[in-house]
Amino acid sequence: MSEDGSWRRVSREGRRFLRGRYRSLRRLALWSLLESAHTFLGGYAVARALDDGFLAGRTGIGLGWLAVAGAGALLGALALRGVFGGLADLVEPLRDGLVRRSVRQAIGRAVADPGRAGDAGAVSRLTQQTEMARDSFAGLVLVARSFVFTALGALLGLATLDPVLLVLVLPALLLGTAGFLATLRPMARVQRAALDADEALSGRAGELAAGLRDVVACGGGASAGAPVERLIAEQERLTGRLARWTALRTLALGVAGRLPVVALLAGTPWLLGRGVSAGAVAGALTYLVQSLLPALDALMTAVGAAGTRLLVVLDRFCTPQPSPPADSGPATTAPEAGAGPGGAVELRGVWFAYGPRAQPVIDGLDLTVGEGEHLAVVGPSGIGKSTLTALIAGLLPPGGGTVRVAGAPARRVPGQDCNGPGGTGRGGDGPGGGPDLRRTLLPQQAYVFTGTVRENLTHLCPGPVSGAEVERATAALGSDGLVDRLGGLDGAVDPARLSPGERQHLALTAAYLSPAPLLLLDEATCHLDLRTEERAERALAARPGTLVVVAHRISSAARADRVLVLDGTRAVCGTHAELPARSPLYRDLVGLWNARG
């Protein structure tokens, strides 16, 4: 959106925020009127002390007027104390509102596109940018209020002493102010671009860290790091531009803050010749040096730095966020019309690499997994096993070829693909309007949430699940003892108090209860002992549907109907009995497993 559009959007939100806080604004204005009185007395008392006191030979009267100026200073201190109390009534509600809006935006993005990586920009908005907006708003309100009421008192004092004083002071003030205002828009654009680059760098670094193992395994470090280097170079370029505009702004501040004093001093002979008293000139100089110019300098500094930064940050909070598709559930995809029977997986000529110049992780893979089949995937760490499950789950788009699940594309267009990253798939609305769940993915780090045991075991089911069904599932998986230790199905689950193996046991039971005809286990049993792992895998394989297991033990492969071996150059698929003769890698893995006992 254009800069004018951003300004209108932020202005509209700002007026809405301030409309409900007239009481706080009135409190600030009343305390600030005392500051105007302090400013007026400061210059006027000096002029009277000279003209009516010291220059007239009446020292007592001069000291009396100086005492009035001192009383005005005490009045200003009292006003400042009240101002800070009223300021908190504006600043803290703003911060609370921004935090709530940031959380809503993050949730909206996650629901609208659950397949994307975590939103690093949301973290920046919730922490750095929220505090940036809070501090900038507080500083801007403080100095803007101070300038308005200080300028009111100073200009009234100058006009009271002699209106001709304004003729010398105002032109220089207006010239410096105009130069300063000319730098605001360019600086706002640069700061907006700098925030965009910062969020892009955070997001890119997060994506790179998430796939670092595969990037290193494929030798794609240089290619994957190139975008990061470009973003760092962009930040450097923007910093230079910001420094240049800051230098121009400093020049404008010098004109506005120093030229009026020079004009007043240079014009003193002319003023005295027109009958302006020496006290009036001294009072005018006091207004400039002690009140008006410091307030103007503070205002320009705040608007130039905090003001433009506040505008950019608030615009990011006010930007409309994507809403979730009306026909999507929390995390699922529905089969297309005419799709084949649920549970079948088909890959044709699939190719995938983490970057345009990286070595492919999956290269020309053809694979068909029949309905009801149990497939194990084996290979060295970092060879692409997790990448394969992500392709089947629809979390990654293939660089070439096709991936189909239940006869439909594994990955949908944005807004239709609702499989959550690195977690379990949930049910959504299918063509018939009812819940449809094609697949469930269980990663190595099992997802368990705070709630009851029943909620953790049935959250993948689109409808209610009877207690008898849950009990049959826990008995089949061997998790009934764990459920009893947690206090039964209505017992409370605290994820922090569970071991990794216990969390995996609960997640596997939830997958067993899921109606998804395809289960994907990405080393989801790595924290279980051999006996528990075997019982769980046999129960899941006996469950109606298809089971694909990324195996970290050869014993898991031995239980599967077929085994897919990924060795970095070619993929070999066959039974556990025939693969040692066909795949040297699998023969080595079996031999190593047997040697270990």
Side-chain angles (χ1 to χ4, degrees), residues 351-387:
W351 180 93
F352 182 84
Y354 287 98
R357 298 181 182 178
Q359 292 295 320
V361 184
I362 306 293
D363 191 3
L365 178 62
D366 292 319
L367 176 68
T368 299
V369 184
E371 182 180 356
E373 187 176 9
H374 177 188
L375 176 73
V377 183
V378 301
S381 178
I383 204 66
K385 302 186 298 295
S386 295
T387 301

Side-chain angles (χ1 to χ4, degrees), residues 506-530:
L506 290 178
L508 289 167
T509 307
Y512 182 91
L513 285 167
S514 165
L518 171 62
L519 296 184
L520 302 168
L521 308 186
D522 186 4
E523 297 193 8
T525 61
C526 63
H527 296 298
L528 302 180
D529 59 76
L530 289 173

Side-chain angles (χ1 to χ4, degrees), residues 116-172:
R116 65 179 292 179
D119 188 1
V123 178
S124 177
R125 283 187 294 275
L126 188 60
T127 55
Q128 179 188 9
Q129 294 183 32
T130 299
E131 292 304 318
M132 187 187 299
R134 174 182 179 272
D135 295 342
S136 299
F137 180 68
L140 194 61
V141 169
L142 190 64
V143 299
R145 171 213 56 83
S146 177
F147 173 76
V148 169
F149 289 93
T150 297
L152 178 64
L155 295 177
L156 181 62
L158 287 171
T160 302
L161 293 176
D162 199 312
V164 75
L165 294 170
L166 296 174
V167 176
L168 289 177
V169 171
L170 281 181

